Amino acid sequence: MSLLPIQSGGASLRTGGRGAVPRHVAIIMDGNGRWAKKRLLPRVAGHRQGIEAVRRTVRAAGDLGIEALTLFAFSSENWRRPASEIGELMGMLKRFILSDIDEIHEAGIRLVVLGDWRMLQGDIVELIEGAIARTANNTRQTLVVALNYGAQDEIVRVARRLAGDAAAGRLDPATIDAAMFEGGLDTQGLPPLDLLIRTSGEKRLSNFLLWQAAYAELLFVDTLWPDFGRDDLAAAVDAFAARERRFGGL
C-alpha cells in the first residue's frame, strides 16, 4: 500500500465537526493478540495484521492533514513478554523499515523515534539511525514511533539531567519551570499532543506520554488495532473537532 498522499479532487475523509483537525495525534495500538485469538490464529498473525493497520493509518493521517502521528510500538514493559514474541516483533520492525522506508521518504514523511531505542540490538539501531537521517529534511508529515518507551522513564531521565546540571552549578534550580522540563522530553520539537486514541476498548494510558497528555483529548474505541483504518481515524478526528477545549479556563 502506498503511503503517498491522495491527489486533490477526491472525497474528503471528514464527515463533519466544527473544530480544527488535531495537529498531533497519538495512538496506543492495542488488540493484536485478541484479534488473533478471535480467529484461532497465533498472536504473531495479529501483529502482522497490525503492521497493515499502521500503513493505512499513516496514509489516512496525511490525507486528513494531521501534522504528527505518534504510534506506541513497543513499551519498556513489553520486555516481559515471551522471548519468541519479542523476537517476532523485532523482526517485523526490521522488515517494516526495510520495505517501507522508500515510500515513507517519497511521501515527504519525517521519522522520529521516542524512547531508549538505542538499547535495541545493533542492526535495528543501525536501520533506525539510517531511516531517521534519510527522512530528516521531510516536511509534509512526521511519523513518530515509540520504541522501548515508558513515560515514567522519560520523566525520570529529564529530572536526572536537570538535577545533574544543578549539582554541577550549570543550572539554578529556581529557574526550572514546565517549559524547561518539557524541552528535555523525547517529544521536544513536536507539536503539543492534541488527541490520544487507544484501541481495543481498554481505558488506560499504560505509561504512554503522561506529561504530554496533560491537556490532550482522550478517545477510547472498541476497534481492535488490526481492524483500525481510515474511517476510524476520520471518526476520531471528527470527535475531536466537536469537543470544546478550555485548557482550565471557562
Side-chain angles (χ1 to χ4, degrees):
M1 176 182 291
S2 173
L3 295 175
L4 295 173
I6 291 176
Q7 299 300 313
S8 60
S12 171
L13 284 179
R14 294 295 304 281
T15 58
R18 54 183 171 80
V21 170
R23 293 180 64 198
H24 184 180
V25 175
I27 305 178
I28 300 174
M29 305 180 294
D30 194 19
N32 290 350
R34 275 167 282 174
W35 184 93
K37 184 177 181 180
K38 285 175 61 176
R39 291 159 177 79
L40 303 180
L41 296 171
R43 286 177 59 87
V44 66
H47 294 314
R48 289 171 181 161
Q49 195 61 36
I51 293 291
E52 295 303 316
V54 167
R55 294 185 174 110
R56 291 193 300 269
T57 304
V58 171
R59 181 174 182 179
D63 296 338
L64 282 164
I66 294 168
E67 185 177 332
L69 175 68
T70 297
L71 302 176
F72 200 6
F74 191 87
S75 78
S76 52
E77 289 77 26
N78 285 156
W79 294 109
R80 301 169 185 168
R81 295 187 178 187
S84 58
E85 182 172 346
I86 293 172
E88 289 282 359
L89 289 168
M90 292 300 143
M92 282 186 282
L93 172 62
K94 290 165 60 175
R95 290 192 291 275
F96 177 78
I97 295 173
L98 290 169
S99 64
D100 287 53
I101 191 59
D102 287 343
E103 290 187 13
I104 288 172
H105 182 52
E106 290 169 10
I109 299 171
R110 176 174 68 113
L111 179 66
V112 172
V113 182
L114 310 180
D116 199 8
W117 56 271
R118 289 182 177 84
M119 295 299 293
L120 301 177
Q121 60 192 57
D123 55 342
I124 295 178
V125 172
E126 186 176 342
L127 283 173
I128 293 172
E129 288 176 339
I132 291 172
R134 184 177 178 190
T135 63
N137 295 320
N138 293 341
T139 59
R140 188 179 75 87
Q141 183 186 358
T142 300
L143 173 60
V144 187
V145 180
L147 283 172
N148 197 23
Y149 173 85
Q152 291 176 333
D153 173 71
E154 177 187 30
I155 291 169
V156 168
R157 283 189 279 112
V158 177
R160 187 182 297 125
R161 191 178 309 122
L162 292 174
D165 287 344
R170 295 187 295 268
L171 174 66
D172 180 358
T175 66
I176 298 174
D177 58 13
M180 181 183 293
F181 197 96
E182 189 167 300
L185 295 172
D186 294 352
T187 50
Q188 60 179 301
L190 294 172
L193 181 61
D194 291 316
L195 174 63
L196 191 153
I197 303 166
R198 181 171 187 147
T199 62
S200 87
E202 300 292 346
K203 297 177 175 64
R204 55 182 176 272
L205 296 183
S206 294
N207 200 20
F208 184 51
L209 299 181
L210 298 180
W211 176 285
Q212 297 85 344
Y215 276 103
E217 296 296 316
L218 306 181
L219 185 64
F220 301 99
V221 299
D222 291 333
T223 306
L224 299 176
W225 176 248
D227 292 326
F228 195 90
R230 299 170 60 85
D231 291 344
D232 300 282
L233 186 61
V237 167
D238 284 335
F240 171 86
R243 295 186 183 184
E244 184 176 355
R245 307 180 77 198
R246 298 186 182 90
F247 298 98
L250 299 178

